Amino acid sequence: MPPAVPAALALALLLFLAARQAPPGTGRGIVAAGGQAVLLGAALRVGGARPGSGSGCPADAVIAAGLLLVGAAGAAVGPAGAAARLGVPLWLAWLAVRGRLGGLAPAPIAPGPLLAGAALGALLGLHLMVSASRTLGYQAVLDEPGRWLAGVAYDAGANVPATAGFVFGVLHDRTQRRLSGPAAAALTVGALVARYLADPLLPVTPEVVTGAVFYIAILGGVGAWLAWWSGSPAPGALALLVFFAAWRLLGTP
Amino acid sequence: MTAAAALSLALVGALRAAAEPGAADPGLLRHLYFVPVVVVALRAGLARGALAAIVAVVLDAPLVLPGIERQGLASAPTEALVTYALLLVAGPLAGGLAGAARERRRRYEILLEVQRVLGGAAPPEEALEGLASCLRERLGVADVAVAVRDGARIVASRGATPAPGSLMTAVLDDGAPRFVPDAGGGARPRRVLVVPLMARGECCGALAVERVGELPAGDRLALVALGAHLGLALDNARLAARQRRFAEELAAEVQAAGRARASFVAVASHELRTPLTALLGFAELLARRRVAPDEVPRVAAIVWHETERLARIVDDLLDLSRIEQGMGLRLRRAAVAPGPAVAAAVELLAGAARAPRIVVDCPEDLPAVDADPDALDRILKNLVGNALKYSPPASPVRVRLRPGPASVEFAVEDRGRGIPPDVLPRVFEPYYRAPDAAGAARGAGLGLAVVKALVDAHGGAVRVESAPGSGTRVSFALPVAP
């Protein structure tokens, strides 16, 4: 495994933890975006190439990280500015069409794993909503669609591409080529749980942290299995995206 | 299977959710999860059994967590947690045991199939291709290659000899298994394992297996064991083939020996009958009729000659019989002067008519040889007699004697028909006669066999060189007398 992979993970976790200490507001968001930019850049730089064929184009990684930071800055301006977050998915789509995503997007991805990812994400999201409402009294509401859409844009434009690209596309891909499947999956789950436990947006209450560990661990296992099945991080990313979309529907108790 | 399991789990979940509010003891329904979980585990193995158990727990948790939130760990939620723990143990355990039993059965089936493939009498390349194809299908892998040593060469499936420096070659060299977690070139890892095929403690080949995806440690260990079984099976197949070949050769030899003996009996009867007839005829002549006095020496010479011939045949037969029974020839060795011995043998054989044909080339100062005089006489008479029989009437027969470092070489050369190259290796076999020799001269196929036995008994060696149409040279060496 290239040393850049654990180094990028450690740096991103440090930035997330630093963001936790930063005062709420634009500063915290920018520092957290820095962590995501590190993950996304590393994903494109290391995973953008086929295994054994060098590495991805550095300019592509730098542009993606820059777009992610621009999106974060745009979102800080207001809910409408969150549209700037679409820069990253559009850039990734363009790279995929040009065949420059290498091992991150081996074409073609079969529809089966994508459907399975979406279905598992939806099931877990539904489960979260039922459990949270019955146990802690959280209600699923859509009283502020703009805010929900901004959250989904954050997931689609920063959170999920950076995390899934790095964890499923690079970390799991490289470890499964050196270790056994279960060992690689365990590392993947561990890295994903660590990444979200360090996330500055996660409320630090026992029940939320317990729930986060539970669902993120399952999503990590599901993503690793889907990446093993399809050879692509996309189905796992889809599962995360759908799950987070459901999670963002939860109101306050 | 997956859909049925998911449906069963969902059904139990729905029953639980529906019964929860008013049920007297809803916990009883919770135990229904064991049914789909254990069924899935038994049918689909450890991973899916564990997954089914996790899904059951995840499905049921929203019904139990509120109780824990409200009452803490009271008896009902604690019972539920115990049920979850049991589910999480039962699923993987049942799946693991069932999977292990299935895996063991599959391995036995593979071994049976391997025995069946290798049991046929196919040539090595074809058998290896059949083996690779069988393993590819049975092991559920992307590719299989087998290479085995066949003497100095290496035979491989698909006729592809392992390249120097390849994993196969390395395993063939040191007999240690090798595992490559990813051979590269794909979106999913391509695991490659090369295991040695062991037979009688030695690496007799290598089996390479490539699988896209996972090749767990248990499977790798099983493949190493399979390599050992395959090595033994290949070795057994090789031994069986060798035994079959040996049995076929033996049967052919027995048949040939039977034919030779039958032919010998016919020829020997004829050979014995001829001098006997002459003896009988002349004995009757002498006994019943009046023979002119000047005819008596001639008749006596004929009787002597035929009696000697008869005695020679009987001596040859007796010697050959002793050799075949494993009893050595009894020699009375003494220092024998080679020149006079040759002269005596030639004189007796040649007679007046054939004397000019025999040319003796013998240096004056040859040392005496350590030999049985009678045996040397028989050797020379056999060789010179053969040369006279199988060469044209006017052609010379040359007897040469040459000194060696510690021996004297005797050689008898003729310019006769020669011996075909394919027959040459068999001329010293008892009762054997070249196919074209039978019509050329009389004989029982004993002479050269006796010559070889006598020369061997002296510690010497006999050689024959011949080319069809240009003659034959038979030579032997005897040690110089001490």
Side-chain angles (χ1 to χ4, degrees):
Chain A
M1 184 189 299
V5 176
L9 181 62
L11 179 60
L13 290 177
L14 276 175
L15 285 170
F16 289 141
L17 290 173
R20 224 181 243 285
Q21 306 304 319
T26 309
R28 176 180 284 190
I30 293 295
V31 176
Q36 286 158 350
V38 167
L39 291 180
L40 185 61
L44 285 171
R45 183 82 176 96
V46 178
R50 290 268 171 208
S53 62
S55 51
C57 174
D60 292 349
V62 169
I63 291 171
L67 284 172
L68 195 146
L69 290 171
V70 168
V77 174
R85 294 204 186 267
L86 291 178
V88 170
L90 288 174
W91 173 241
L92 292 179
W94 188 80
L95 288 177
V97 169
R98 302 291 298 266
R100 282 161 61 179
L101 280 183
L104 292 178
I109 302 173
L114 287 173
L115 283 174
L120 286 167
L123 273 174
L124 283 171
L126 190 67
H127 188 273
L128 167 72
M129 286 197 283
V130 171
S131 300
S133 65
R134 283 179 59 91
T135 311
L136 302 172
Y138 285 86
Q139 297 303 314
V141 287
L142 190 57
D143 49 358
E144 290 179 83
R147 196 173 162 190
W148 181 79
L149 279 174
V152 171
Y154 163 73
D155 290 332
N159 173 22
V160 172
T163 305
F166 181 83
V167 175
F168 301 141
V170 174
L171 186 70
H172 180 262
D173 182 72
R174 294 301 190 270
T175 48
Q176 74 166 345
R177 291 176 194 280
R178 292 186 171 273
L179 308 173
S180 69
L187 267 176
T188 304
V189 169
L192 197 68
V193 168
R195 182 255 173 271
Y196 281 109
L197 284 182
D199 196 296
L201 298 178
L202 185 79
V204 191
T205 58
E207 63 270 17
V208 172
V209 169
T210 306
V213 168
F214 177 75
Y215 287 107
I216 294 300
I218 293 180
L219 282 165
V222 163
W225 170 63
L226 290 170
W228 176 84
W229 179 18
S230 66
S232 160
L238 197 56
L240 280 176
L241 197 61
V242 174
F243 174 80
F244 285 130
W247 172 65
R248 289 187 186 283
L249 285 173
L250 287 178
T252 48
Chain B
M1 177 67 195
T2 309
L7 200 64
S8 309
L9 287 168
L11 190 65
V12 177
L15 276 174
R16 278 274 289 149
E20 176 73 9
D25 187 3
L28 286 178
L29 281 175
R30 197 170 49 234
H31 295 105
L32 281 178
Y33 280 118
F34 278 100
V35 177
V37 167
V38 171
V39 168
V40 167
L42 291 177
R43 296 284 301 274
L46 189 147
R48 292 188 186 180
L51 188 64
I54 291 170
V55 170
V57 170
V58 168
L59 270 179
D60 202 65
L63 303 176
V64 172
L65 292 179
I68 296 176
E69 189 67 23
R70 280 195 305 271
Q71 311 161 18
L73 282 178
S75 68
T78 306
E79 279 176 21
L81 291 179
V82 170
T83 307
Y84 294 165
L86 288 175
L87 275 171
L88 290 172
V89 169
L93 187 65
L97 291 174
R102 259 197 305 279
E103 185 60 25
R104 202 166 298 132
R105 180 180 166 182
R106 192 174 68 100
R107 283 173 199 162
Y108 284 129
E109 285 174 351
I110 290 173
L111 288 180
L112 281 175
E113 187 70 10
V114 163
Q115 291 289 358
R116 191 188 63 74
V117 170
L118 294 179
E125 287 85 353
E126 207 176 301
L128 285 187
E129 191 46 55
L131 180 65
S133 165
C134 151
L135 290 176
R136 207 172 296 134
E137 187 186 323
R138 290 278 181 170
L139 294 173
V141 293
D143 203 4
V144 169
V146 190
V148 293
R149 289 183 202 282
D150 185 20
R153 69 181 185 136
I154 291 174
V155 183
S157 53
R158 277 180 262 161
T161 309
S166 66
L167 275 182
M168 275 271 210
T169 312
V171 172
L172 280 166
D173 284 346
D174 61 15
R178 284 180 171 70
F179 175 60
V180 178
D182 183 28
R188 295 172 66 187
R190 286 167 51 226
R191 317 280 200 211
V192 175
L193 177 69
V194 186
V195 299
L197 308 183
M198 303 299 288
R200 287 178 282 178
E202 286 184 5
C203 175
C204 64
L207 164 72
V209 171
E210 181 187 315
R211 183 182 276 169
V212 178
E214 203 47 46
L215 190 58
D219 282 11
R220 297 203 296 268
L221 204 60
L223 281 167
V224 172
L226 178 65
H229 284 294
L230 272 180
L232 280 176
L234 279 168
D235 199 46
N236 285 343
R238 195 179 298 166
L239 286 176
R242 196 180 297 167
Q243 213 163 18
R244 267 199 303 273
R245 210 166 42 240
F246 178 66
E248 284 166 8
E249 285 171 7
L250 201 63
E253 277 180 21
V254 166
Q255 278 183 351
R259 276 197 302 273
R261 275 180 194 278
S263 155
F264 166 74
V265 169
V267 173
S269 308
H270 178 72
E271 289 289 309
L272 292 170
R273 191 77 197 160
T274 308
L276 270 177
T277 306
L279 286 175
L280 270 174
F282 284 105
E284 188 185 10
L285 186 71
L286 290 171
R288 295 191 181 169
R289 298 183 192 176
R290 295 182 73 84
V291 179
D294 57 335
E295 277 292 298
V296 171
R298 191 182 69 84
V299 172
I302 292 171
V303 169
W304 180 30
H305 181 75
E306 293 300 326
T307 308
E308 197 177 48
R309 185 172 147 200
L310 196 58
R312 207 162 51 232
I313 293 173
V314 171
D315 282 349
D316 284 354
L317 281 173
L318 285 173
D319 283 348
L320 220 52
S321 171
R322 288 178 64 83
I323 293 164
E324 285 186 344
Q325 286 173 29
M327 300 158 70
L329 294 172
R330 279 196 295 263
L331 299 177
R332 283 189 289 273
R333 300 176 80 142
V336 181
V342 169
V346 164
E347 186 187 349
L348 276 172
L349 267 178
R354 294 193 290 191
R357 287 180 59 194
I358 302 176
V359 182
V360 177
D361 175 5
C362 176
E364 291 290 325
D365 53 348
L366 276 181
V369 293
D370 179 26
D372 180 329
D374 291 339
L376 180 58
D377 186 57
R378 285 175 63 199
I379 293 169
L380 290 167
K381 280 178 181 166
N382 260 314
L383 294 181
V384 176
N386 274 353
L388 290 169
K389 270 196 292 186
Y390 295 108
S391 57
S395 68
V397 169
R398 201 173 293 277
V399 182
R400 288 181 199 274
L401 283 82
R402 290 287 179 270
S407 61
V408 173
E409 190 198 53
F410 298 73
V412 178
E413 302 166 0
D414 66 56
R415 292 186 190 164
R417 56 200 295 130
I419 304 169
D422 56 324
V423 169
L424 216 51
R426 300 193 61 189
V427 292
F428 292 113
E429 289 178 20
Y431 318 123
Y432 179 78
R433 298 198 72 202
D436 62 340
R442 292 189 315 181
L446 298 174
L448 284 178
V450 170
V451 165
K452 182 170 177 357
L454 290 171
V455 173
D456 287 349
H458 280 87
V462 61
R463 286 197 325 157
V464 59
E465 300 152 80
S466 184
S470 56
T472 302
R473 180 178 192 270
V474 184
S475 60
F476 64 94
L478 293 178
V480 171

